[in-house]
Amino acid sequence: MTALAKDPARFVETIIEDETVVMRLDSGDFFSLKGTGRAVWDAIDGSRDRDAVLGIIAVRYGTTAEAIAPEVDAFLAELCEAGLLQKG
Amino acid sequence: MRGLDRSIADEAKDIGALALAVLARETQVHRGPVACELDGKVRDGEGQWRLADERIVLRAGPIRLAYERGRGVTLDVPPDVDPRNADLWLNGTIYAAVAAINGLMPLHASAVAHGGKVYAFTGPPGAGKSTLAAALGREGLPLFCDDTLILDLSHPDLIVALPGHKRLKLWPEGAALANAHLQEQVQSNYPKFFAQPAAGTVAEPMPLAELIFLEQGESPALVPVSPGERMARLQDDHYTAELFEHAARLERPQRFAQLAAIARLLPMHRFTRPYSPDKFDEGLALMRSHICQGLPA
């Protein structure tokens, strides 16, 4: 599988309280990441592929990769749609 | 000064005094001709402005106004026009622009003071900013500003609010709700009326405690605003944000860092309530408790 990678040239981010706030530089659009979404975002380090990210999230939330896959896949699709991930 | 560390209050006063001196100097008004264009461009509509290179020009019907950093405000009024018709623009858009051009942040907000701190209310025109401030005045909270709130962001750990206009501008319906005594009409072509704040006004700069967004809702409620939403809402705040962005000319990463710094320091709430007179007192009581007793939302 292809490693998931953010596209740091396209956004800035900061952490405030329990939230990661991301802004796309070209549009100025804001994205608020909390809970599972934030955990997925943090797990994307440029070396892990989708399965590795799923594994990390499953361990963190005490569940199985299969159980959490639909939610994580949907979120990854949202990140791609938002232009925050590099296209693999 | 209850509930506030004295050194923070003093620091706010010192920072704010410098900013107020700049505002007092830069808002000096003189009469003279104003060419209503900048960089060869002009906006024709009522109240339209253009800001570039530390200068703003504004057209308000037959009246033209300009401000340039270091040169004060120029007012151009035809002989047959009442110069008082310029006051709204001088005290609103031009006042906010002077602040923004001099590195201060204007917010479209009215505010009251309590315990040495400032509680500001923002929202679109007609949201009830002035009405709420007037009604809280009846509850003993002095007015800090009406309609335009100027902030000094120069301290990394403190947002300093500068006291503003000393009279409220109210619609008659708002005055009735707030039990405020109306004075003269603001100007002949603008049917708001002045009112004296019932609990007086504040003359000294103070730390900004909270920014509260006024919205319509089914019942009175206060809902905390999350950090990302705080940043987005600051970005969307009406003409004042547009003035600030034009004046500061920050690139998006710097603007993001600035919004994040404000969002870290400044709690925000959404205050929802129905726009019906019979629910006004219920909402007022909730807001008074929130400010005066620090009740959780």
Side-chain angles (χ1 to χ4, degrees):
Chain A
M1 295 273 293
T2 308
L4 297 168
K6 299 171 187 171
D7 193 347
R10 300 190 71 179
F11 66 86
V12 283
E13 66 178 309
T14 192
I15 297 170
I16 305 176
E17 298 163 17
D18 62 347
E19 190 173 331
T20 296
V21 184
V22 180
M23 185 180 78
R24 248 182 74 159
L25 289 170
D26 57 353
S27 66
D29 291 341
F30 285 92
F31 301 88
S32 169
L33 307 179
K34 288 188 271 195
T36 312
R38 186 178 174 199
V40 171
W41 178 255
D42 290 344
I44 299 171
D45 64 354
S47 66
R48 297 187 181 106
D49 63 12
R50 176 249 185 202
D51 290 346
V53 168
L54 265 181
I56 285 177
I57 302 303
V59 168
R60 175 162 179 172
Y61 287 94
T63 184
T64 63
E66 291 73 22
I68 206 163
E71 186 183 345
V72 170
D73 285 340
F75 182 66
L76 290 173
E78 279 183 43
L79 291 177
C80 282
E81 178 83 10
L84 298 175
L85 296 187
Q86 290 179 6
K87 300 208 184 288
Chain B
M1 192 165 286
R2 195 182 64 189
L4 181 66
D5 183 89
R6 170 125 185 91
S7 65
I8 293 176
D10 286 343
E11 201 152 7
K13 264 189 227 170
D14 291 344
I15 292 168
L18 289 172
L20 284 174
V22 169
L23 277 180
R25 184 188 71 224
E26 296 291 319
T27 52
Q28 296 283 329
V29 178
H30 59 274
R31 302 286 285 269
V34 172
C36 206
E37 71 175 53
L38 203 56
D39 297 342
K41 296 176 184 172
V42 63
R43 290 192 175 183
D44 293 326
E46 171 79 4
Q48 293 295 296
W49 52 265
R50 180 161 175 77
L51 189 155
D53 298 329
E54 301 189 333
R55 185 165 184 258
I56 184 171
V57 292
L58 183 150
R59 175 181 291 182
I63 297 173
R64 294 173 177 192
L65 302 111
Y67 164 75
E68 185 170 358
R69 192 175 191 184
R71 293 180 176 236
V73 178
T74 307
L75 176 60
D76 188 350
V77 184
D80 58 335
V81 174
D82 185 345
R84 288 175 298 182
N85 288 348
D87 287 353
L88 267 182
W89 301 105
L90 283 169
N91 294 326
T93 306
I94 292 293
Y95 179 64
V98 171
I101 289 170
N102 286 279
L104 303 166
M105 180 177 176
L107 280 181
H108 189 201
S110 298
V112 297
H114 176 72
K117 293 185 179 180
V118 174
Y119 296 81
F121 312 110
T122 188
K129 301 181 287 293
S130 300
T131 300
L132 183 56
L136 288 166
R138 286 273 163 215
E139 301 284 323
L141 303 184
L143 180 73
F144 191 80
C145 70
D146 185 36
D147 208 45
T148 306
L149 173 64
I150 307 296
L151 304 178
D152 186 317
L153 305 175
S154 61
H155 193 290
D157 303 316
L158 184 64
I159 297 175
V160 178
L162 308 181
H165 310 310
K166 304 299 179 210
R167 288 205 290 179
L168 290 150
K169 297 185 291 294
L170 297 171
W171 299 109
E173 300 85 352
L177 286 173
N179 197 20
H181 301 299
L182 293 184
Q183 301 173 319
E184 75 271 23
Q185 190 168 332
V186 170
Q187 63 186 44
S188 57
N189 57 355
Y190 186 66
K192 269 190 172 184
F193 291 80
F194 286 115
Q196 285 294 348
T201 60
V202 173
E204 291 175 338
M206 290 178 172
L208 180 59
E210 192 174 333
L211 182 61
I212 297 157
F213 295 85
L214 305 186
E215 297 175 4
Q216 192 167 11
E218 285 188 7
S219 58
L222 273 158
V223 181
V225 176
S226 69
E229 196 183 345
R230 285 176 222 162
M231 294 175 68
R233 281 174 174 257
L234 283 169
Q235 187 87 324
D236 284 345
D237 172 69
H238 318 301
Y239 74 95
T240 49
E242 198 182 348
L243 283 169
F244 187 60
E245 282 199 57
H246 274 75
R249 288 181 289 183
L250 297 177
E251 297 293 329
R252 281 219 165 102
Q254 286 77 40
R255 176 67 174 150
F256 180 82
Q258 185 179 58
L259 292 171
I262 298 170
R264 279 193 187 90
L265 288 172
L266 185 59
M268 299 182 196
H269 280 87
R270 293 168 52 229
F271 176 43
T272 60
R273 74 276 192 246
Y275 286 174
S276 65
D278 59 329
K279 289 282 185 183
F280 182 81
D281 286 347
E282 193 182 334
L284 178 63
L286 175 65
M287 183 53 68
R288 186 186 181 285
S289 296
H290 179 70
I291 292 173
C292 297
Q293 298 168 27
L295 292 181

